[in-house]
């Protein structure tokens, strides 16, 4: 690596589609910009899809100086965090990295913290009259059954119990660290890929159905349009004061009404479908911190729709003799 300003994608793991999208965005901003895959696992498969690889220290406060030194050594000028559990660290130290000339593409700490805490997230939406699904610490506050029971913190699909009666909800909660209780709503879950500027103004969003989901991630997803859902998502996202690429989960009930489940303040696992539909979110993030007028860049949503199918593929490298 030379002294140019490169992009680091953290927790890269097996996120090959994300890395390829990041490389396309980086080259669009500057043909000389390189993309590093970063991960604490020295064997992370992502290293084979990036320009370079960094077996990084774990993102905790004790490693802050080592992370800054590592970024400077590698000519990194942009950091794109990709995993929920590291967002708080990067948001907390965003200003420190900025003083070192390193832009971290993450929302403000307060907004990130709110999205990571499902109870605080639900209360925030309810207090503002937005269609967030309410959440409670006690089952007695959650109204009549059936219920959804989940961890207050952590990934949305982890350890979740759905359509439970009162006894089952209490039993399920005993297996969780910090359970919360919600009314169970029958419906279809969709994802919203969106991008907001640093003043929390929505530039664009793309709705997509989750046609086939494996381990919480869409393996088959199809974009669609619905003006009412788009407006509900826009007002909620701007109220949350997020910036950069985000992905929101919404449940659409049988009457077609949206119920907001959660919002991840990062690029989503299948958000490359949004890019294919015209939401150039990674490029906009890089362009904004590089000082470009993002408002002048078009959101040219395609007139049709995108069906994204994630398939495994082999990659071959010819090794030296």
């Amino acid at each position: 690596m030379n002294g140019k300003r490169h992009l680091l994608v953290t927790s890269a793991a097996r996120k090959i589609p994300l890395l390829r999208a990041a490389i396309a965005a980086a080259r669009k901003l500057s043909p000389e910009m390189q993309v590093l895959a970063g991960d604490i696992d020295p064997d992370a498969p992502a290293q084979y899809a990036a320009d370079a690889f960094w077996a990084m220290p774990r993102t905790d406060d004790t490693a802050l100086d080592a992370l800054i030194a590592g970024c400077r050594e590698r000519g990194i000028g942009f950091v794109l965090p990709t995993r929920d559990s590291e967002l708080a660290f990067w948001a907390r130290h965003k200003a420190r990295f900025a003083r070192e000339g390193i832009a971290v593409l993450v929302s403000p700490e307060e907004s990130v913290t709110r999205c990571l805490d499902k109870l605080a997230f639900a209360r925030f939406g309810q207090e503002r009259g937005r269609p967030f699904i309410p959440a409670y610490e006690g089952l007695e506050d959650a109204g009549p059954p059936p219920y959804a029971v989940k961890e207050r913190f952590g990934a949305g699909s982890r350890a979740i119990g759905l359509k439970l009666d009162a006894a089952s909800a209490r039993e399920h909660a005993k297996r969780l660290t910090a359970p919360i209780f919600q009314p169970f709503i029958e419906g279809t879950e969709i994802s919203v890929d969106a991008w907001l500027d640093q003043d929390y103004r929505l530039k664009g969003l793309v709705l997509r159905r989750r046609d086939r989901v494996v381990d919480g991630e869409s393996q088959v997803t199809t974009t669609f349009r619905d003006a009412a859902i788009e407006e509900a998502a826009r007002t909620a996202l701007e109220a949350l004061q997020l910036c950069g690429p985000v992905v929101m989960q919404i449940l659409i009930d049988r009457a077609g009404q949206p119920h907001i489940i959660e919002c991840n303040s990062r690029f989503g696992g299948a958000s490359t479908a949004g890019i294919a539909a015209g939401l150039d979110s990674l490029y906009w993030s890089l362009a904004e911190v590089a000082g470009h007028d993002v408002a002048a860049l078009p959101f040219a949503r395609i007139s049709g729709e995108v069906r994204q199918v994630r398939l495994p593929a082999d990659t071959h490298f010819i090794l030296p003799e």
Side-chain angles (χ1 to χ4, degrees):
M1 290 290 168
N2 54 29
K4 300 186 182 299
R5 303 182 72 205
H6 302 301
L7 169 64
L8 170 67
V9 177
T10 67
S11 299
R14 301 174 57 87
K15 299 167 184 164
I16 309 305
L18 166 56
L19 272 170
R20 289 172 175 161
I23 290 171
R27 300 288 199 273
K28 189 173 177 179
L29 184 69
S30 170
E32 297 180 340
M33 181 183 288
Q34 298 199 332
V35 176
L36 292 81
D39 203 285
I40 62 171
D41 179 2
D43 298 319
Q47 63 189 282
Y48 300 108
D51 296 315
F53 178 67
W54 179 15
M56 296 173 58
R58 191 175 298 278
T59 49
D60 61 38
D61 292 349
T62 62
L64 177 59
D65 290 339
L67 286 163
I68 291 173
C71 287
R72 297 182 65 177
E73 178 184 341
R74 292 165 176 81
I76 293 166
F78 308 87
V79 177
L80 177 65
T82 71
R83 188 164 56 94
D84 285 339
S85 60
E86 64 174 347
L87 293 177
F89 168 86
W90 289 109
R92 185 164 61 252
H93 299 295
K94 184 176 181 176
R96 170 73 188 281
F97 278 89
R99 290 196 293 273
E100 302 289 340
I102 302 164
V104 181
L105 308 178
V106 67
S107 293
E109 182 179 8
E110 182 180 1
S111 304
V112 169
T113 301
R114 183 186 298 121
C115 289
L116 292 172
D117 181 346
K118 296 180 180 63
L119 183 63
F121 179 82
R123 286 174 174 169
F124 178 88
Q126 291 284 298
E127 288 167 0
R128 286 155 182 78
R130 309 297 181 193
F132 289 36
I133 298 178
Y136 307 93
E137 292 180 279
L139 177 63
E140 63 278 7
D141 298 319
Y147 304 105
V149 184
K150 64 180 68 169
E151 287 283 13
R152 178 174 174 178
F153 305 97
S157 60
R158 188 178 303 159
I160 188 170
L162 296 174
K163 209 172 184 177
L164 304 177
D165 59 26
S168 300
R170 289 193 178 90
E171 192 61 31
H172 186 85
K174 292 178 182 177
R175 300 194 287 270
L176 304 184
T177 303
I180 58 170
F181 302 88
Q182 296 180 296
F184 174 77
I185 299 171
E186 195 84 52
T188 301
E189 185 176 340
I190 68 164
S191 294
V192 183
D193 295 318
W195 190 88
L196 301 96
D197 67 20
Q198 292 183 356
D199 293 320
Y200 320 128
R201 293 173 301 205
L202 183 80
K203 182 172 181 65
L205 60 80
V206 172
L207 309 181
R208 55 182 170 83
R209 296 186 180 87
R210 294 156 58 86
D211 305 320
R212 176 179 169 81
V213 177
V214 178
D215 295 333
E217 185 173 298
S218 296
Q219 299 298 302
V220 181
T221 188
T222 307
T223 65
F224 69 103
R225 303 214 64 168
D226 184 300
I229 298 173
E230 290 175 359
E231 177 60 17
R234 182 190 67 77
T235 55
L237 287 166
E238 292 187 340
L240 286 164
Q241 296 193 322
L242 298 166
C243 63
V246 302
V247 57
M248 174 175 275
Q249 306 299 332
I250 300 179
L251 197 68
I252 309 300
D253 67 19
R254 291 172 176 170
Q257 296 301 306
H259 304 268
I260 296 171
I261 303 170
E262 64 181 3
C263 185
N264 299 315
S265 49
R266 56 169 172 75
F267 195 81
S271 294
T272 45
I275 293 177
L279 190 80
D280 207 357
S281 55
L282 296 182
Y283 172 64
W284 293 338
S285 288
L286 294 173
E288 184 177 49
V289 295
H292 295 211
D293 180 9
V294 178
L297 300 175
F299 170 35
R301 193 192 191 287
I302 64 170
S303 57
E305 303 301 342
V306 172
R307 172 160 295 162
Q308 176 171 287
V309 182
R310 184 152 295 172
L311 301 171
D314 295 332
T315 302
H316 303 99
F317 301 88
I318 305 302
L319 304 179
E321 294 182 357

